Amino acid sequence: MFDEAITAQRCQWAPWQSKLCSAEQAAALIKDGMTVGMSGFTRAGEAKAVPMALAEMAKTNPLSITLMTGASLGNDLDRLLTEANVLARRMPFQVDSTLRKAINDGKVMFIDQHLSETVEQLRNHQLPKVDVAVIEACAITEGGGIVPTTSLGNSASFAMDADKVIIELNLAAPLALQGLHDVYFPEMRPERTPVPVVAPNSRIGGTEIAIDPSKIAAIVVSNIPDSPSTVLPPDEETQSIADHLIKFFTYEVESGHLTPSLLPLQAGIGTMANAVMSGFAHGPFKNLTMYSEVLQDCTFDLLDAGVMDFASGCSITLSEERGKTVWNNLDKYRDRLILRPQEISNLPEVVRRLGIIAVNTALEADIYGNVNSTHVCGTRMMNGVGGSGDFARNAHMSIFVTKSVAKNGDISSFVPFVSHVDHNEHDVDILVSEHGLADLRGLAPRERAQVIINNCVDPSYRPALQAYFDEACERGGHTPHCLEKALSWHHAVNVEGSMRSFIKEQELAEAEA
């Protein structure tokens, strides 16, 4: 049941009651073989009741669909849909372990995309048309416009492209979100004009998703909060990474390369980037701005610390504790926040214009600066490339951070050659681990390798990587490699579960010498 008075307050569109139905009735509008576009970006603003009902319905009436979203979904929706065999094809990003296994087993076809590209391809008919869009709203305007909740993502384009739109009105979403969004559609090529975002606080569009009301096929009322983010608090190693970055930026300011307000910051999603960015609250910088995808705990830490003036993103994803301080006090932040479609938050044109400083997380990096963000040992998908590539290729400064080892030291995050390349060495300016920072700008491959080995690699693996590099240099080449050994470190993980054999091998070699 739902509170009719509160629902009526949020539904200004006169015919709303004629479209009111249960989640089960709305889910029945989704048929086998359809392409469905759902709201949601990194556990924020996803429709909840309808996909839950769809998963339940599929247990007795099997169907499979292509599911497009903005990014990952919360409330275990990807797990529920996977277990119900609903997902035949999924794009462009996910983080769910059950879905991940289905992807790696070849049961779900996963399309891993730069997040700025999905609706560009959809709009230009390079992807199948959306049959049904399921969009979460905190309100419906008098003209039938959809006021999104905690993410904008790809929702506007899905709603515009779809034949039918299901609106899930979530009473748990703060009504104070109204007015926070900036909905803008670039013109179709070749008549497209420049997107007029000239600063993080540029407002260029409307505050609602304006659609033809005749497309509204159903309105479902829910009262389900977003899942809290799973970010962990900063630890000693992430603080060390933040300290290295603060020292580096302090030098850049003192050298006159940057001002104390730096340039607009972008932070990748997750524990690492969030913890590193939070460290800026204690640095010597002021009047910072952010132009990013997900506004995480660190965004509000910096706003509260008085060192950040404004933040632009396409979703807000907070930990449970941080959510308590933000959602009940959203008015405190309203004039310092904006939520955009992800094709605008991640738009290469804007990223290049604003001179973004991009800080993203690497799964692994190699001695020449290639970065793998997605595949474990080259084959097993983790989450997806997300928006990191949108920023890395076009940023004023592209920074990747990672702890130097994983699995209690069994795996080095720095290897001779990454097993999968998401960001090649041309798009990576700076690598940082807890041990140090490697500034790769202006360096040739052989110079890059030595700087990375000296500054970023864990000391236990440093001699083995140095030995590999020395042998490769003896063979020659602009980017020296021992090809028969380049992926041997990953092979060892697959066979032995560890890279430690290279430490022992090098120790024996040094002892014999």
Side-chain angles (χ1 to χ4, degrees):
M1 295 298 293
F2 62 91
D3 190 309
E4 189 167 347
I6 294 177
T7 303
Q9 179 188 5
R10 295 198 181 208
C11 288
Q12 299 299 310
W13 183 52
W16 72 271
Q17 288 179 309
S18 67
K19 299 294 183 179
L20 197 63
C21 67
S22 68
E24 292 74 19
Q25 290 170 321
L29 297 173
I30 299 172
K31 306 297 183 183
D32 184 51
M34 280 187 168
T35 295
V36 178
M38 286 189 185
S39 63
F41 193 105
T42 314
R43 300 169 68 87
E46 76 277 357
K48 303 169 178 68
V50 173
M52 288 178 184
L54 181 65
E56 192 64 29
M57 180 181 74
K59 294 177 182 178
T60 53
N61 296 288
L63 80 163
S64 62
I65 64 171
T66 293
L67 177 61
M68 301 178 183
T69 59
S72 57
L73 302 176
N75 284 281
D76 288 330
L77 295 180
D78 273 323
R79 175 182 65 80
L80 295 172
L81 293 169
T82 303
E83 290 175 345
N85 297 311
V86 171
L87 302 179
R89 190 172 296 268
R90 179 78 169 87
M91 65 176 72
F93 189 79
Q94 57 77 42
V95 298
D96 182 80
S97 59
T98 301
L99 175 55
R100 182 183 303 134
K101 184 177 187 306
I103 290 167
N104 288 321
D105 289 345
K107 295 177 180 177
V108 175
M109 296 296 103
F110 180 59
I111 296 86
D112 183 23
Q113 290 185 306
H114 296 303
L115 295 187
S116 67
E117 291 186 342
T118 305
V119 297
E120 287 278 22
Q121 293 186 359
L122 185 67
R123 187 181 295 119
N124 289 281
H125 312 295
Q126 296 170 302
L127 293 174
K129 180 178 173 57
V130 173
D131 296 299
V132 177
V134 187
I135 310 298
E136 184 178 78
C138 66
I140 303 173
T141 68
E142 187 175 0
I146 302 169
V147 180
T149 58
T150 49
S151 71
L152 193 42
N154 287 327
S155 299
S157 291
F158 290 158
M160 293 295 289
D161 188 64
D163 295 324
K164 295 180 179 179
V165 178
I166 298 170
I167 301 175
E168 188 170 314
L169 184 69
N170 191 349
L171 303 184
L175 193 55
L177 289 164
Q178 194 161 11
L180 209 61
H181 309 90
D182 187 44
V183 183
Y184 178 88
F185 297 96
E187 291 96 341
M188 292 292 291
R189 302 185 184 99
E191 288 80 24
R192 180 173 296 183
T193 58
V195 173
V197 174
V198 296
N201 62 353
S202 294
R203 180 172 282 280
I204 61 174
T207 58
E208 65 188 72
I209 302 172
I211 62 170
D212 180 353
S214 67
K215 296 205 299 185
I216 300 176
I219 296 173
V220 175
V221 179
S222 67
N223 198 337
I224 308 171
D226 284 345
S227 300
S229 77
T230 56
V231 295
L232 300 173
D235 58 26
E236 184 177 342
E237 291 168 331
T238 58
Q239 185 57 55
S240 293
I241 293 172
D243 290 343
H244 292 311
L245 275 174
I246 290 170
K247 181 179 179 181
F248 167 76
F249 285 127
T250 300
Y251 172 79
E252 291 289 291
V253 171
E254 291 174 349
S255 300
H257 304 153
L258 293 169
T259 70
S261 59
L262 305 179
L263 284 164
L265 301 170
Q266 177 262 333
I269 186 66
T271 295
M272 179 66 68
N274 183 74
V276 168
M277 200 60 64
S278 291
F280 280 71
H282 309 294
F285 315 111
K286 58 184 179 180
N287 303 119
L288 298 174
T289 58
M290 179 172 282
Y291 192 86
S292 193
E293 301 169 311
V294 184
L295 306 184
Q296 306 174 79
D297 287 19
C298 63
T299 305
F300 295 89
D301 291 344
L302 297 177
L303 289 170
D304 286 348
V307 299
M308 179 170 284
D309 292 346
F310 197 89
S312 168
C314 70
S315 76
I316 301 174
T317 304
L318 302 174
S319 66
E320 186 172 3
E321 284 304 309
R322 204 62 175 94
K324 293 176 183 177
T325 66
V326 172
W327 298 127
N328 293 327
N329 300 283
L330 198 54
D331 287 339
K332 172 184 174 183
Y333 303 99
R334 284 178 60 84
D335 61 347
R336 294 181 288 166
L337 298 175
I338 196 168
L339 293 181
R340 308 179 190 276
Q342 67 196 69
E343 66 174 318
I344 303 300
S345 68
N346 292 38
L347 189 65
E349 170 197 339
V350 175
V351 173
R352 182 63 64 91
R353 178 185 298 132
L354 299 186
I356 302 298
I357 295 173
V359 181
N360 288 288
T361 304
L363 184 64
E364 65 175 359
D366 67 30
I367 58 175
Y368 297 109
N370 298 294
V371 167
N372 172 15
S373 297
T374 58
H375 286 72
V376 175
C377 285
T379 62
R380 298 190 295 280
M381 170 61 66
M382 277 295 290
N383 301 328
V385 70
S388 55
D390 297 321
F391 291 95
R393 170 61 60 90
N394 302 286
H396 167 80
M397 192 180 294
S398 174
I399 301 168
F400 281 88
V401 299
T402 182
K403 293 184 179 182
S404 64
V405 294
K407 302 294 183 182
N408 297 315
D410 283 342
I411 297 175
S412 173
S413 300
F414 294 89
V415 292
F417 197 2
V418 289
S419 56
H420 178 92
V421 181
D422 290 296
H423 314 284
N424 65 51
E425 75 274 20
H426 308 297
D427 298 336
V428 180
D429 296 320
I430 292 164
L431 286 171
V432 194
S433 77
E434 73 275 21
H435 297 298
L437 181 147
D439 186 349
L440 308 178
R441 296 172 298 174
L443 301 184
R446 293 182 186 225
E447 295 171 314
R448 293 164 72 95
Q450 199 61 66
V451 169
I452 291 169
I453 292 170
N454 290 346
N455 290 282
C456 297
V457 177
D458 187 82
S460 63
Y461 285 99
R462 196 172 293 159
L465 269 180
Q466 185 67 55
Y468 173 89
F469 177 55
D470 291 343
E471 181 180 352
C473 287
E474 289 177 6
R475 299 188 186 188
H478 176 61
T479 304
H481 267 303
C482 305
L483 289 180
E484 78 281 6
K485 297 180 179 180
L487 297 177
S488 60
W489 291 42
H490 302 91
H491 180 68
V493 173
N494 284 334
V495 174
E496 305 165 16
S498 172
M499 295 178 178
R500 290 184 186 273
S501 59
F502 293 95
I503 298 176
K504 297 176 182 177
E505 182 181 305
Q506 187 58 32
E507 289 173 346
L508 288 173
E510 290 176 356
E512 291 175 359

